[in-house]
Amino acid sequence: MPTPSFAARYLGRTVLAIGAHPDDIELGIGGTVALLAAAGIRVVTAIVSVPAEYELRSAEAKESAAILGSEPRILLEGGCRRIEDLKNYQLVGLLDALVREAKPAAVLTHGPTDFHHDHVTVYHATVAAQRVMQFDLFSYVPTMTRPVPVPFEPNAYVDISSTMDKKLEAIAAHKSQFYSRGLAFEFYRDLARVNGRMVGVDYAEALAVDKIVFA
Ligand SMILES: [Zn+2]
């Protein structure tokens, strides 16, 4: 019997992807988002804050969401903001409201071992949002534009062989990061190839299961 796909679990339901900043979702789980969207699943990609160049970076995020097939959101809309300037209860309130509105069957967010403080803060606020309703919770790999070693122990893998190119296309839509700043994102193809090799497919994205609810 073939293995049921990740998408099959969420057909007819909503999946919510959360990233602290523009491009985090694409780097961590762009292939998974594209895969779910291609299966007809409503995927909401929510960015908490745009720390700089608001107009440009929010336009890039919109373009990237169109490539992935997701519904984009910016939680701190209207101008440049930093997550660390928020009180924790304010961030939890934002995520609570998002969960109430999107009613996700699954949430994919940053993990607790990330070195970026904003990412870890978003992870903890997402954990707290489980008070609002039950959903499967997954963390994705620490995302960074200049890779450094960070601990991450995945225990679930999504075969993204069919959406690997779309992931890179969505990352490339963030031109202000990956072109004008000269950052390389081929690392994310390498990482997906290594993850894929370890589980017998061409390309995979790795997740850590925080919680899964079986009917
Ligand atoms: Zn980030």
Side-chain angles (χ1 to χ4, degrees):
M1 213 168 79
T3 315
S5 70
F6 190 64
R9 181 168 171 80
Y10 301 111
L11 282 178
R13 303 198 283 170
T14 298
V15 172
L16 172 61
I18 302 173
H21 314 109
D23 79 24
D24 282 323
I25 292 171
E26 291 82 345
L27 296 172
I29 42 163
T32 301
V33 168
L35 194 74
L36 293 169
I41 293 160
R42 174 184 180 232
V43 187
V44 174
T45 42
I47 296 162
V48 178
S49 79
V50 180
E53 299 180 286
Y54 184 85
E55 294 305 326
L56 174 63
R57 297 209 63 192
S58 46
E60 290 172 349
K62 220 176 196 176
E63 191 189 328
S64 160
I67 293 165
L68 297 177
S70 67
E71 268 180 44
R73 300 285 159 79
I74 295 174
L75 301 188
L76 293 169
E77 274 187 301
C80 294
R81 302 281 298 277
R82 288 202 172 264
I83 292 170
E84 279 192 303
D85 294 334
L86 287 181
K87 296 284 188 195
N88 201 52
Y89 70 84
Q90 293 171 314
L91 179 60
V92 171
L94 278 176
L95 292 188
D96 283 356
L98 176 67
V99 164
R100 253 183 222 111
E101 181 255 317
K103 295 183 178 54
V107 178
L108 298 94
T109 189
H110 297 284
T113 61
D114 206 306
F115 70 92
H116 195 314
H117 198 266
D118 280 359
H119 295 184
V120 178
T121 302
V122 168
Y123 166 74
H124 287 296
T126 311
V127 169
Q130 293 176 104
R131 297 165 357 280
V132 175
M133 63 174 281
Q134 292 292 338
F135 47 76
D136 294 346
L137 179 60
F138 302 93
S139 317
Y140 53 81
V141 68
T143 50
M144 56 205 102
T145 45
R146 289 188 177 87
V148 296
V150 181
F152 178 61
E153 287 186 29
N155 49 21
Y157 294 83
V158 181
D159 179 355
I160 60 153
S161 305
S162 64
T163 52
M164 183 68 230
D165 291 342
K166 220 160 224 196
K167 174 186 172 93
L168 294 182
E169 202 188 319
I171 296 173
H174 295 273
K175 291 185 195 69
S176 64
Q177 303 303 296
F178 296 100
Y179 293 105
S180 59
R181 288 173 70 205
L183 302 170
F185 58 87
E186 270 299 307
F187 166 70
Y188 285 91
R189 181 189 287 279
D190 300 340
L191 186 61
R193 187 179 283 126
V194 169
N195 282 326
R197 282 283 163 86
M198 288 192 283
V199 296
V201 300
D202 288 341
Y203 293 105
E205 279 170 346
L207 299 170
V209 179
D210 282 68
K211 184 191 76 186
I212 190 157
V213 182
F214 296 105

